[in-house]
Structures are given as C-alpha cells and as structure tokens.
Amino acid sequence: LANKEIGIAMRISEKVERTKHLLLSGQNPTNESIEETWIDIAVYAVIGVLYRREWFQKLNVDSKQAKKP
C-alpha cells in the first residue's frame, strides 16, 4: 500500500504548495480556482482513506463513462 499512498500524499502536497503560493503571492489563478484546489485536496484525502481501507481498489469504474465530459 505504501507506494501508492505516497503518490496520493504527493498530489496533496502539490495542491497544498500551490494553494500556499497563491495565497501568499496574491496572484489570481489562471487555470483552477483556489476553491477548486481545496476541493481537490479533500478528494485526494478521501481517496487516501479509501485506499488505506482497501475499498478504492475494489471500486468498479467504467472507463468509458469516466472519460465523458
């Protein structure tokens, strides 16, 4: 589990660093809002919990549906 959890933690870390940079610099984001970044952090955290409980691995995702806009 650890290697994939590290990947999830890294994504959270990247989002946190982006949020800190935007908040400290006062810059306006060009591609995703700060609110969307906070949501991403929350979602990655939930994925981490699901992964740790081994529920994420059991999800049945239809890749055709996941790619639709």
Side-chain angles (χ1 to χ4, degrees):
L1 291 176
N3 285 343
K4 296 204 176 172
E5 280 185 288
I6 293 295
I8 296 166
M10 292 299 293
R11 291 297 297 147
I12 291 171
S13 178
E14 291 166 0
K15 294 290 184 174
V16 168
E17 289 303 314
R18 178 183 188 278
T19 304
K20 286 176 10 185
H21 172 75
L22 289 170
L23 292 172
L24 291 171
S25 70
Q27 292 179 348
N28 287 324
T30 56
N31 54 350
E32 81 179 29
S33 70
I34 293 174
E35 182 175 313
E36 289 170 322
T37 304
W38 281 121
I39 291 168
D40 287 348
I41 292 167
V43 170
Y44 281 120
V46 170
I47 290 171
V49 171
L50 294 176
Y51 194 85
R52 175 139 290 257
R53 292 179 181 178
E54 297 184 3
W55 297 355
F56 189 79
Q57 299 84 323
K58 295 175 185 175
L59 291 176
N60 187 8
V61 177
D62 182 348
S63 61
K64 293 177 187 169
Q65 290 295 323
K67 292 180 183 177
K68 287 185 178 178

